[in-house]
Amino acid sequence: MMLKKYYGQLRFAGRLDVVVKHAGLYGLLLALIWLTAGCANGQQLQGQTGSLPVKPSGPSPVEKITPAERNVYDWVVIGAREEVARGVIYDASYRQVKYPGGDVPPESGACTDVVIRAFRFAGIDLQQLIHEDMRENFELYPQLWGLPGPDTNIDHRRVPNQMKFFARHGQALPLLVQGEDLLTWQWGDVVYWRFANGLEHCGIISDRKNLHGVPLAIHNAGVAREEDCLTRWEITGHFRYPPVSE
């Protein structure tokens, strides 16, 4: 019973009775990493990750750029990587946060919080930007939660709202990761996926690549990690913000 109570507090996705019966405490802790997942849309993902995080062998391309020479996309990558360094655990709970500049506890967050914190590291507050746009154009945003108006506590933490904002104010880019389209994927871009179970996910494109030249992604689907997962799920969005023309 104690295991079940602890398990519930960790907001596990999946069958509690099966995990407790067959895994034991050690398996339970492993499941926290491999089975817990989700986005801040009120639902949990179900075991969508599978590869190990990247173990860097040296400075990445962005890390070799001096701070004075880094652009906004460089800082976005560095900010996203901070989530990995802190070992942020997934938690999509609704919380009251201040506005602007509000955030959930730093040791926790959803996939969308990786994006929010990465851009804040680059001096861009998506909480404020998304709220201001929703306040003026609420009817243009997804009406999925039965709200009469914007909510500064959660709007920016929802995948559909982020996608709508970037589609309106960012640069929409190709979704394919092959041929010439592969060249359109640059570090600091934001990627959105749909899992096989229909739930949505997001992350930041890394400056590191696999042996085939496909960039890695920094995301949180249980625990924040940087890994080779860009083509693992259906890609539904690829954006650059701010647009390169600005």
Side-chain angles (χ1 to χ4, degrees):
M1 292 298 295
M2 292 180 64
L3 277 178
K4 289 187 177 183
K5 182 178 180 181
Y6 178 65
Y7 183 78
Q9 292 174 342
L10 292 176
R11 293 181 172 274
F12 244 75
R15 288 286 305 280
L16 169 61
D17 54 346
V18 174
V19 174
V20 172
K21 179 179 179 181
H22 295 288
L25 180 58
Y26 179 70
L28 185 61
L29 294 175
L30 287 179
L32 172 61
I33 297 175
W34 297 109
L35 295 180
T36 305
C39 296
N41 58 8
Q43 295 177 293
Q44 295 287 338
L45 309 181
Q46 300 176 357
Q48 302 294 341
T49 60
S51 65
L52 293 174
V54 171
K55 296 181 179 180
S57 57
S60 73
V62 158
E63 292 163 349
K64 295 178 182 179
I65 302 173
T66 64
E69 296 176 321
R70 288 172 184 160
N71 61 32
V72 63
Y73 312 112
D74 302 333
W75 289 113
V76 165
V77 171
I78 294 172
R81 196 165 281 145
E82 285 292 308
E83 296 289 283
V84 180
R86 290 203 311 275
V88 175
I89 297 298
Y90 178 83
D91 184 350
S93 301
Y94 179 96
R95 293 176 180 270
Q96 296 281 340
V97 297
K98 69 176 184 177
Y99 173 84
D103 196 7
V104 298
E107 70 276 5
S108 64
C111 61
T112 46
D113 291 307
V114 174
V115 175
I116 294 161
R117 289 166 174 166
F119 277 90
R120 280 217 175 111
F121 203 85
I124 297 172
D125 187 353
L126 289 177
Q127 180 194 26
Q128 182 173 1
L129 290 172
I130 291 175
H131 172 68
E132 289 176 350
D133 197 45
M134 291 187 70
R135 185 179 58 198
E136 300 299 322
N137 306 279
F138 186 71
E139 71 285 354
L140 299 181
Y141 277 78
Q143 305 294 309
L144 303 175
W145 303 280
L147 298 176
D151 182 346
T152 58
N153 297 296
I154 192 65
D155 286 336
H156 58 298
R157 300 183 66 216
R158 286 176 162 148
V159 166
N161 289 340
Q162 284 192 4
M163 292 184 69
K164 175 59 70 172
F165 174 81
F166 286 131
R168 283 172 49 76
H169 301 286
Q171 182 178 2
L173 297 163
L175 305 184
L176 294 179
V177 190
Q178 59 187 13
E180 294 184 357
D181 287 331
L182 177 58
L183 300 177
T184 69
W185 292 86
Q186 298 182 17
W187 67 62
D189 289 354
V190 188
V191 58
Y192 293 89
W193 296 281
R194 180 181 294 113
F195 290 155
N197 60 11
L199 298 182
E200 297 173 303
H201 190 50
C202 62
I204 297 294
I205 298 301
S206 170
D207 55 328
R208 294 188 174 107
K209 298 181 179 181
N210 67 16
L211 296 178
H212 304 288
V214 176
L216 310 184
I218 304 170
H219 69 121
N220 188 342
V223 61
R225 64 180 66 199
E226 181 175 5
E227 60 179 341
D228 184 3
C229 64
L230 180 56
T231 60
R232 185 181 302 165
W233 309 296
E234 177 191 359
I235 297 172
T236 58
H238 174 200
F239 301 99
R240 189 166 300 145
Y241 185 84
V244 292
S245 59
E246 293 188 0

